[in-house]
Amino acid sequence: MVIPERNQSGAIMFILLGFSEYPELQVPLFLLFLIIYAVTVLGNVGMIVVIKINPKLHTPMYFFLKHLSLVDFCYSTIVIPKLLENLVVEDKSISIKVCMTQFSIGVTFVMTEMVMLAVMAYDRFVAICYPLLYTVSMSPKLCALLVTVAYSWGIISSIILTYSLLVLSFCETKIINNFVCEYSVFLSASCSDKHFSEIILFIFVNLNAFCTLIIILTSYLFIFVTILKMHSASGRYKAFSTCASHLTAVTIFYGTIVFLYCIPNSKNPSLVVKVGSVFYTVVIPMLNPLIYSLRNNDVKETFRKIMDLKIILQ
């Protein structure tokens, strides 16, 4: 592995080790992540296309799901190509500017997804608790506004967290035991006082997670109470099935965040964190379209029609 002190322009570099300590796994991991990325792209782009061409799916729930798929596609495209490159090249260096750019764009989509999941929980709350008012309450104008808020908050979050890193100083090339430019990468590489950045991270990220989780948990509390009040077993099943996919996605997303940032000390914490980061940044964007499509007959029916059309055209 090549470890340059500085590049030709004199800029300080980071060295993202990735999975370099397991040389025998470089090729298998490359093939695995390449397959995951292909499934992620096909799944999320396919979901967007299916929702767009099927009039039955032109509802608020699928409008939000379309944007969730777009966010997952963009986020995976920010992370996985660099991961694949690091698995096959000898020079694993990355400039601070490029690393900061990857972090900034990545944060935009992660924070947008957190808000989008909260918006989707509110959508399910209105649909199940106030079905007669659903069409009026979740108007196209309100849906567009909620999506705009999600993207805007993602951008604002990115600006604040990126600024908290720009105040840091970096004195020399640092070897980072990670494969992605996360906040911890910059903190560990900095040679200046990190107190301000750590305070901003703690307050902002926890506040963001707390607020979105409150919306999600409150929405599902009212949903479960409403479902329990239903007299028909088939009605309860139908109501629960409409939000089961979203609840699964929320559990996986937030469960991974808790695992990644609340893990206890162990003999090999770097490996645990790295595996958690892989699941959070690589696997979840692939799982979301699978979770929503496998439980939805309209989506599966549209996929079948597209495949039948391809066969006929051939």
Side-chain angles (χ1 to χ4, degrees):
M1 181 181 66
V2 178
I3 304 180
E5 280 301 311
R6 292 173 182 260
N7 65 6
Q8 292 181 348
S9 65
I12 297 171
M13 308 291 285
F14 289 161
I15 311 297
L16 294 177
L17 288 181
F19 297 92
S20 301
E21 64 266 44
Y22 308 104
E24 70 282 359
L25 295 179
Q26 298 294 293
V27 173
L29 285 174
F30 176 84
L31 295 175
L32 174 62
F33 291 139
L34 182 62
I35 292 170
I36 289 176
Y37 183 55
V39 173
T40 301
V41 172
L42 290 174
N44 285 291
V45 173
M47 182 67 75
I48 294 171
V49 172
V50 164
I51 293 172
K52 191 170 183 64
I53 66 176
N54 189 346
K56 289 183 180 179
L57 303 180
H58 293 175
T59 63
M61 181 178 74
Y62 291 103
F63 176 75
F64 298 133
L65 179 56
K66 179 175 66 176
H67 285 277
L68 182 67
S69 294
L70 177 61
V71 168
D72 282 334
F73 166 74
C74 293
Y75 183 57
S76 63
T77 301
I78 291 298
V79 173
I80 300 180
K82 184 60 181 177
L83 170 59
L84 293 173
E85 179 190 337
N86 266 17
L87 287 168
V88 295
V89 300
E90 221 179 306
D91 182 5
K92 302 181 186 300
S93 62
I94 181 172
S95 70
I96 291 180
K97 288 183 179 180
V98 173
C99 199
M100 190 76 74
T101 301
Q102 185 193 59
F103 167 79
S104 181
I105 299 174
V107 166
T108 299
F109 292 117
V110 170
M111 293 299 184
T112 298
E113 178 155 350
M114 294 181 78
V115 178
M116 199 75 71
L117 288 172
V119 168
M120 293 173 74
Y122 174 74
D123 171 73
R124 293 298 82 209
F125 158 71
V126 177
I128 293 173
C129 298
Y130 302 98
L132 298 179
L133 299 175
Y134 179 64
T135 305
V136 177
S137 299
M138 299 303 294
S139 64
K141 186 176 180 180
L142 177 61
C143 291
L145 177 62
L146 291 173
V147 167
T148 302
V149 168
Y151 285 113
S152 299
W153 184 247
I155 294 171
I156 292 170
S157 302
S158 176
I159 292 172
I160 293 174
L161 290 175
T162 302
Y163 171 76
S164 71
L165 293 177
L166 290 174
V167 299
L168 299 175
S169 298
F170 304 94
C171 306
E172 60 183 5
T173 293
K174 287 285 186 177
I175 298 177
I176 309 297
N177 193 11
N178 209 327
F179 63 90
V180 65
C181 294
E182 293 182 321
Y183 204 92
S184 60
V185 167
F186 297 94
L187 290 180
S188 63
S190 173
C191 59
S192 59
D193 183 25
K194 310 167 190 175
H195 186 67
F196 171 75
S197 300
E198 290 172 341
I199 292 290
I200 292 295
L201 175 68
F202 179 81
I203 294 176
F204 194 79
V205 173
N206 281 280
L207 182 64
N208 193 69
F210 176 77
C211 292
T212 53
L213 268 177
I214 285 294
I215 294 172
I216 292 170
L217 294 175
T218 303
S219 297
Y220 275 105
L221 177 63
F222 283 105
I223 288 171
F224 289 142
V225 170
T226 301
I227 290 175
L228 291 175
K229 289 181 179 179
M230 295 179 179
H231 301 292
S232 169
S234 61
R236 286 197 297 269
Y237 175 79
K238 183 178 180 181
F240 182 75
S241 64
T242 60
C243 57
S245 298
H246 176 257
L247 189 57
T248 303
V250 167
T251 302
I252 293 173
F253 183 81
Y254 281 95
T256 304
I257 290 177
V258 169
F259 168 78
L260 193 58
Y261 293 103
C262 301
I263 54 174
N265 292 326
S266 65
K267 293 182 179 179
N268 195 3
S270 63
L271 177 60
V272 176
V273 171
K274 208 175 290 186
V275 171
S277 296
V278 166
F279 196 82
Y280 173 59
T281 59
V282 177
V283 178
I284 287 181
M286 177 192 69
L287 289 180
N288 278 343
L290 297 178
I291 291 170
Y292 285 101
S293 61
L294 291 176
R295 295 188 61 89
N296 191 287
N297 291 327
D298 289 330
V299 173
K300 289 188 287 187
E301 180 185 346
T302 307
F303 268 121
R304 280 195 294 267
K305 288 181 179 179
I306 293 174
M307 296 307 298
D308 290 342
L309 181 60
K310 286 184 177 181
I311 294 172
I312 293 172
L313 291 175
Q314 288 177 351

